[in-house]
Amino acid sequence: MAIPAFKIMSLFLSVFVGFASVGLVSSAKFDELFQPTWAFDHFTHEGELLHMKLDNFSGAGFQSKNKYLFGKVSLQIKLVEGDSAGTVTAFYMSSDGPSHNEFDFEFLGNTTGEPYSVQTNIYVNGVGNREQRLNLWFDPTTEFHSYSIFWNQRQVVFLVDETPIRVHTNMENKGVPFPKDQAMGVYSSIWNADDWATQGGRVKTDWSHAPFIASYKGFEINACECPVSLAAADSAKKCSSSGDQKYWWDEPTLSTLNLHQNHQLVWVKAHHMFYDYCTDSARFPVTPLECVHHRH
């Protein structure tokens, strides 16, 4: 019997979420997964909510207590309201050292009434300069929205409310390095970056509107936890499916985006993206290799 189209679509829509229940799951309150790393007095708790503030004395930041290799990390964030020009709220994953890997969400504040922009970036073996920027299709300051990073040996996917906004595909067969063997911590911070964040630094932070507050809830890490003492090769082996050891992120359906997700990504890039390093010939007279081969 044929499966109705709407049921097929429903299955596709749940693909990044549904498999989490059959793999390693770590979903908890802030204190169970994370810890403040600086400006402890800039954190306040209100039930399940965490508020982190920036004022003219300091920003603030937190990080995960553990490191992870492959899986999915999600935070629900309500960004700084009103005139947030000059501020940056970041959510990212990163390994350690000069040859680190890193996946960045950076939310760039703006003057009241202007759209909030999000910049994503990817570092592989210490090399970044892979920025993309887009305007969000909603006001991220009025309610909480989900921001996620999904990562396996085939792709890195940035998602906003489960809509993919960026995909970095494994193209090692084309000579492009891929981040697959360094365990990464999960971080978030808020700080003043008015030298570049808003309209290239032309609009400065108005401290009369301080404190600037970002709010968080829904801390979820569904990923492979790696002890700090574990070598990179051992981490990769521990977190990869083999024999009787099967992980949800290695399911064949998660090796690429499905058709619906591809359509979503095309829509985002066509209607909301306003900067892509792949098309910036002034910065890159020679097109970066991954841009030549990338399908999206």
Side-chain angles (χ1 to χ4, degrees), residues 23-37:
L24 301 183
V25 178
S26 180
S27 176
K29 296 179 180 179
F30 173 82
D31 291 336
E32 296 177 14
L33 291 176
F34 296 94
Q35 58 192 8
T37 48

Side-chain angles (χ1 to χ4, degrees), residues 138-212:
F138 52 84
D139 183 347
T141 71
T142 58
E143 57 187 24
F144 286 88
H145 291 268
S146 175
Y147 304 94
S148 308
I149 298 169
F150 170 77
W151 174 33
N152 63 16
Q153 296 191 61
R154 300 293 184 182
Q155 59 179 350
V156 180
V157 185
F158 293 75
L159 302 117
V160 175
D161 290 337
E162 298 305 318
T163 295
I165 65 166
R166 180 172 188 168
V167 176
H168 184 75
T169 303
N170 187 331
M171 292 178 283
E172 290 179 300
N173 62 336
K174 304 291 187 181
V176 179
F178 185 79
K180 66 175 186 179
D181 59 3
Q182 296 184 41
M184 306 171 82
V186 184
Y187 303 83
S188 186
S189 57
I190 183 170
W191 77 94
N192 177 44
D194 65 5
D195 58 330
W196 66 271
T198 305
Q199 298 180 32
R202 291 188 297 274
V203 182
K204 303 300 183 181
T205 303
D206 184 346
W207 294 108
S208 69
H209 295 150
F212 303 99

Side-chain angles (χ1 to χ4, degrees), residues 73 75 77 89-92 103-105 147-149 186-188:
V73 176
L75 296 179
I77 308 173
T89 304
F91 161 43
Y92 62 103
F103 312 141
D104 295 339
F105 274 104
Y147 304 94
S148 308
I149 298 169
V186 184
Y187 303 83
S188 186

Side-chain angles (χ1 to χ4, degrees), residues 8-291:
I8 294 175
M9 187 63 70
S10 178
L11 290 170
F12 281 150
L13 284 170
S14 65
V15 72
F16 281 112
V17 182
F19 283 112
S21 61
V22 297
L24 301 183
V25 178
S26 180
S27 176
K29 296 179 180 179
F30 173 82
D31 291 336
E32 296 177 14
L33 291 176
F34 296 94
Q35 58 192 8
T37 48
W38 50 291
F40 291 12
D41 61 346
H42 282 45
F43 291 81
T44 56
H45 294 267
E46 182 185 348
E48 67 171 357
L49 303 183
L50 171 73
H51 305 292
M52 192 164 63
K53 73 177 181 180
L54 162 70
D55 57 26
N56 56 349
F57 296 102
S58 178
F62 64 81
Q63 69 179 55
S64 60
K65 295 179 178 180
N66 298 300
K67 295 185 182 298
Y68 304 89
L69 185 66
F70 308 137
K72 184 181 179 184
V73 176
S74 299
L75 296 179
Q76 293 181 42
I77 308 173
K78 184 165 69 171
L79 295 171
V80 177
E81 294 183 78
D83 185 354
S84 57
T87 70
V88 172
T89 304
F91 161 43
Y92 62 103
M93 298 184 69
S94 181
S95 58
D96 299 324
S99 298
H100 74 293
N101 298 330
E102 186 174 332
F103 312 141
D104 295 339
F105 274 104
E106 292 179 313
F107 304 97
L108 312 181
N110 218 329
T111 54
T112 304
E114 294 293 321
Y116 235 101
S117 298
V118 55
Q119 174 173 284
T120 60
N121 199 0
I122 296 174
Y123 286 74
V124 184
N125 298 332
V127 179
N129 296 322
R130 297 179 173 92
E131 297 92 347
Q132 292 182 352
R133 288 189 182 187
L134 58 90
N135 290 326
L136 294 169
W137 51 95
F138 52 84
D139 183 347
T141 71
T142 58
E143 57 187 24
F144 286 88
H145 291 268
S146 175
Y147 304 94
S148 308
I149 298 169
F150 170 77
W151 174 33
N152 63 16
Q153 296 191 61
R154 300 293 184 182
Q155 59 179 350
V156 180
V157 185
F158 293 75
L159 302 117
V160 175
D161 290 337
E162 298 305 318
T163 295
I165 65 166
R166 180 172 188 168
V167 176
H168 184 75
T169 303
N170 187 331
M171 292 178 283
E172 290 179 300
N173 62 336
K174 304 291 187 181
V176 179
F178 185 79
K180 66 175 186 179
D181 59 3
Q182 296 184 41
M184 306 171 82
V186 184
Y187 303 83
S188 186
S189 57
I190 183 170
W191 77 94
N192 177 44
D194 65 5
D195 58 330
W196 66 271
T198 305
Q199 298 180 32
R202 291 188 297 274
V203 182
K204 303 300 183 181
T205 303
D206 184 346
W207 294 108
S208 69
H209 295 150
F212 303 99
I213 297 173
S215 301
Y216 299 78
K217 67 176 184 177
F219 305 93
E220 296 187 6
I221 299 177
N222 302 317
C224 183
E225 184 179 319
C226 295
V228 175
S229 59
L230 203 60
D234 294 328
S235 293
K237 183 177 180 181
K238 175 183 184 292
C239 298
S240 300
S241 298
S242 62
D244 294 333
Q245 178 176 273
K246 302 294 184 183
Y247 292 118
W248 68 270
W249 51 82
D250 287 328
E251 290 288 334
T253 51
L254 296 177
S255 62
T256 62
L257 297 186
N258 62 47
L259 181 61
H260 177 72
Q261 291 164 334
N262 269 304
H263 288 164
Q264 288 180 312
L265 181 60
V266 169
W267 174 81
V268 168
K269 296 186 76 168
H271 296 282
H272 297 281
M273 183 175 291
F274 62 89
Y275 177 80
D276 184 354
Y277 77 105
C278 283
T279 60
D280 191 341
S281 57
R283 284 181 69 196
F284 304 101
V286 178
T287 303
L289 188 57
E290 67 264 26
C291 301

